[in-house]
Amino acid sequence: MARMNTEQARLSILLSCYLDGVLTDEELNEVVHVLDTDLEAIAEFHKLKEARRAVRLMPMLEVPSHLLPRTHLDEELSAFLDGELSTQETPVVSAHLESCGECRMVLADLDRSRIAIRALPGVESPVFLDLHRETTTVARRRIPAIVALATGVAAVVIAFTVGPFAAGGEQPTISIADLNARHAAVASVPAAVQISNTAP
Amino acid sequence: MTRLGRSVLVGTTFAVAFGVLTPAVTAGELEDIITQAREATYNATRVTKSVWGDQIEVTDQLVEHWSGGELVRTNLSWTVSGNGRLVSMGEVPSGLVFLTAKTTPEIQRYEVGDVTTVKHMHRSALRVEVMEGDLKRATLIVDERSGAVLLSETFNGQGRVFRTVSLSEFKPYRMYPEPEEMSSVPVQVIMHSNSDLLPNELAGYQIVDVFPGPGGSEQGFYSDGLFGFSVFAISKRTTIEGFADSMALVTDDGLYEMVPTAQDVRIRWADKDRNYVLVGDIPPDHLEEILTVLPAPGRDSMLKIWWRKLFG
């Protein structure tokens, strides 16, 4: 009896790992064989899939603010937009953004100001700034969001004042491959099925 | 028979026996089929063929599909997509994550027609006809066990097949984990926004969400639950690359530049105020209707059209 329970427990773990895609080739063959022959295993597999689906569809509850380790994100928002967070930091920031409307609004403002800046006519930076470009890139990650926002607004004002007088900035260029990738990413919410196959 | 098979066949039998809906059943069953296909786990070679006029486009890809994601491998690169994320490892590694709380709208204009059991690649499958009114819009061969769509044929407005997507070397399990290099690819996060420019509905397609695009542009993603496309409204001074080998699409409204591929179509045009690009997997007759509603080449801007609609 104990042995049977052990085998069942092992099978459950294997099926779970199968859904996670982390099986070795040998284990994968074992699971495929079991799923081809054992009706109970197939039933168990479907039950496991259903359970996972149910968990995914569960409503997200707001975390009480007093349980959160810190109140709001600051400099991490800049790094988040720049894709400069580490693999460990990204899920923490994403989870906070899901539960915190205030940080989402700050992030959206920050993103909008950056987009506005990017849309402005290009102005060539003076040569002396090039010398410090690398240093600035490294330091940028630690600029607090509020300072970044203020800088963004200032940059917009300066660019609107100086932009019209700047000697013909370069025309911005967009590639169709970029637009296609953006469409494919958005279309994968939920993921595309074969009939509307949008992967580039 | 699987739950998918039972639900579709029982629904069809019930509907036909009691004359509830003849010959079509409900759109809800089609959503079930699409949901099961989206959650299916498999590894296969996917061949996509599209016919645009006298031009035939074909592409084949190695595909690994699982619940909420897909890994596509070609000769030189791979792409992982799903749940608003797309990470590519090609010449230039790139990643995009779209943050949205919205999902594809419910299917309203399509219904399930005839459903029959068939054998496809030695596997038990259901052959499902998707009807758009009296027009057969698609035929799906759905694997009973995994829920994957093994073969789909999409028809144009004249009832001719314009796209075929088929899976071969099908294995109902995963072969590869997600590439480890994914974590090192820089990812750009894009928050959804609002638009006064893009309409909420375009020829039967509902807007799902709006996002800021590159160079100050706006991207509106539209879907009818089965097909989808994006419209990009882009500044007039922005140069759009990738249409060097385009073909001309001439309609009553004007001239468009078109690049058809096996998987989608890309259209570019400009009115007095903006450049527009449309990217999507829509049937040609739907495309024609959509272009009729959007600002025509060289004519009034969308803002003026809406202004006139509102204030005469």
Side-chain angles (χ1 to χ4, degrees):
Chain A
M1 185 63 137
R3 188 181 163 199
M4 204 169 151
N5 285 339
T6 313
E7 278 176 10
Q8 278 173 345
R10 183 170 178 275
L11 179 64
S12 292
I13 293 167
L14 280 178
L15 290 175
S16 184
C17 292
Y18 172 65
L19 286 175
D20 293 333
V22 292
L23 291 178
T24 63
D25 287 348
E26 200 178 317
E27 288 167 337
L28 186 63
N29 287 335
E30 186 183 341
V31 170
V32 171
H33 176 69
V34 170
L35 286 179
D36 269 339
T37 54
D38 188 343
L39 288 176
E40 279 184 24
I42 294 168
E44 166 92 20
F45 181 62
H46 283 300
K47 211 187 295 176
L48 194 61
K49 269 178 84 173
E50 286 298 320
R52 285 190 174 213
R53 191 177 170 206
V55 169
R56 277 203 307 277
L57 295 176
M58 280 173 76
M60 296 284 286
L61 297 175
E62 288 281 338
V63 181
S65 57
H66 66 275
L67 290 180
L68 291 170
R70 51 184 297 187
T71 321
H72 294 299
L73 299 171
D74 190 0
E75 63 204 36
E76 293 89 346
L77 293 178
S78 264
F80 184 64
L81 281 177
D82 291 338
E84 289 178 353
L85 288 177
S86 68
T87 315
Q88 288 82 17
E89 286 173 312
T90 305
V92 177
V93 172
S94 300
H96 180 88
L97 283 171
E98 277 182 20
S99 63
C100 179
E102 205 171 317
C103 282
R104 279 202 301 272
M105 280 173 66
V106 175
L107 185 70
D109 285 344
L110 197 59
D111 193 36
R112 267 196 289 274
S113 65
R114 287 176 178 216
I115 288 164
I117 293 165
R118 281 201 296 270
L120 289 167
V123 182
E124 285 295 318
S125 61
V127 178
F128 68 88
L129 282 181
D130 287 344
L131 299 172
H132 302 286
R133 191 163 280 164
E134 194 179 329
T135 328
T136 314
T137 311
V138 175
R140 187 175 52 176
R141 184 176 164 182
R142 294 301 160 201
I143 295 173
I146 190 72
V147 177
L149 259 177
T151 313
V153 171
V156 170
V157 172
I158 290 166
F160 266 115
T161 316
V162 178
F165 305 106
E170 276 184 26
Q171 279 201 334
T173 302
I174 299 175
S175 77
I176 187 63
D178 181 24
L179 300 183
N180 194 42
R182 283 166 186 270
H183 168 66
V186 176
S188 72
V189 187
V193 290
Q194 295 91 329
I195 189 171
S196 57
N197 161 28
T198 49
Chain B
M1 187 180 285
T2 62
R3 195 158 52 84
L4 168 67
R6 277 200 301 275
S7 66
V8 173
L9 276 187
V10 168
T12 310
T13 311
F14 179 85
V16 171
F18 292 90
V20 180
L21 287 160
T22 307
V25 195
T26 64
E29 288 176 0
L30 185 56
E31 279 170 356
D32 284 346
I33 291 168
I34 289 174
T35 304
Q36 300 246 11
R38 197 167 55 233
E39 302 207 338
T41 301
Y42 61 86
N43 177 289
T45 299
R46 181 166 61 202
V47 180
T48 308
K49 186 177 90 171
S50 293
V51 182
W52 296 93
D54 55 358
Q55 193 169 328
I56 297 175
E57 301 286 337
V58 185
T59 184
D60 66 311
Q61 301 163 316
L62 288 172
V63 179
E64 179 121 327
H65 193 281
W66 62 90
S67 176
E70 186 171 87
L71 167 65
V72 176
R73 286 170 190 272
T74 52
N75 289 338
L76 300 169
S77 64
W78 55 256
T79 301
V80 174
S81 61
N83 293 325
R85 180 187 62 155
L86 185 135
V87 179
S88 294
M89 184 64 91
E91 280 178 26
V92 183
S94 64
L96 294 164
V97 175
F98 284 80
L99 296 182
T100 176
K102 296 170 186 171
T103 52
T104 311
E106 283 184 3
I107 295 173
Q108 289 182 337
R109 68 165 142 190
Y110 306 104
E111 292 180 320
V112 173
D114 291 341
V115 180
T116 47
T117 51
V118 292
K119 282 278 179 192
H120 185 80
M121 296 189 300
H122 308 292
R123 299 182 68 85
S124 297
L126 295 177
R127 184 176 182 280
V128 181
E129 288 188 349
V130 179
M131 306 298 294
E132 183 182 342
D134 294 333
L135 176 74
K136 184 163 75 175
R137 180 53 78 185
T139 303
L140 313 176
I141 305 284
V142 186
D143 183 40
E144 278 203 84
R145 191 151 164 187
S146 66
V149 179
L150 303 173
L151 174 72
S152 74
E153 291 175 323
T154 311
F155 299 87
N156 64 16
Q158 286 80 47
R160 286 195 292 273
V161 175
F162 97 96
R163 174 168 297 139
T164 308
V165 183
S166 60
L167 299 183
S168 59
E169 296 164 52
F170 180 85
K171 302 169 199 76
Y173 48 83
R174 293 185 64 175
M175 299 276 283
Y176 309 102
E178 287 185 42
E180 284 176 8
E181 312 94 281
M182 264 185 70
S183 57
S184 64
V185 176
V187 171
Q188 185 186 354
V189 180
I190 298 158
M191 294 280 288
H192 75 104
S193 61
N194 300 306
S195 174
D196 297 325
L197 186 68
L198 298 165
N200 290 328
E201 193 263 339
L202 274 175
Y205 287 80
Q206 301 296 318
I207 197 160
V208 180
D209 215 337
V210 178
F211 300 92
S217 62
E218 283 186 4
Q219 174 185 6
F221 174 63
Y222 294 80
S223 171
D224 65 358
L226 193 60
F227 304 103
F229 64 91
S230 288
V231 175
F232 295 87
I234 303 165
S235 155
K236 202 68 186 270
R237 60 187 303 279
T238 302
T239 307
I240 304 159
E241 290 179 340
F243 285 88
D245 299 321
S246 63
M247 55 196 275
L249 172 68
V250 184
T251 72
D252 293 342
D253 292 324
L255 180 69
Y256 299 82
E257 289 173 90
M258 179 167 93
V259 177
T261 74
Q263 293 151 323
D264 56 36
V265 63
R266 299 121 191 227
I267 308 272
R268 178 176 76 169
W269 74 103
D271 69 0
K272 279 196 298 182
D273 303 313
R274 281 179 191 77
N275 287 308
Y276 293 95
V277 173
L278 185 150
V279 180
D281 65 344
I282 42 186
D285 49 316
H286 284 190
L287 173 65
E288 207 172 312
E289 286 174 36
I290 291 161
L291 291 179
T292 308
V293 187
L294 285 164
R299 290 195 182 174
D300 283 352
S301 72
M302 198 182 294
L303 201 60
K304 283 183 187 168
I305 290 172
W306 294 116
W307 182 270
R308 215 177 292 135
K309 272 191 179 177
L310 287 171
F311 304 108

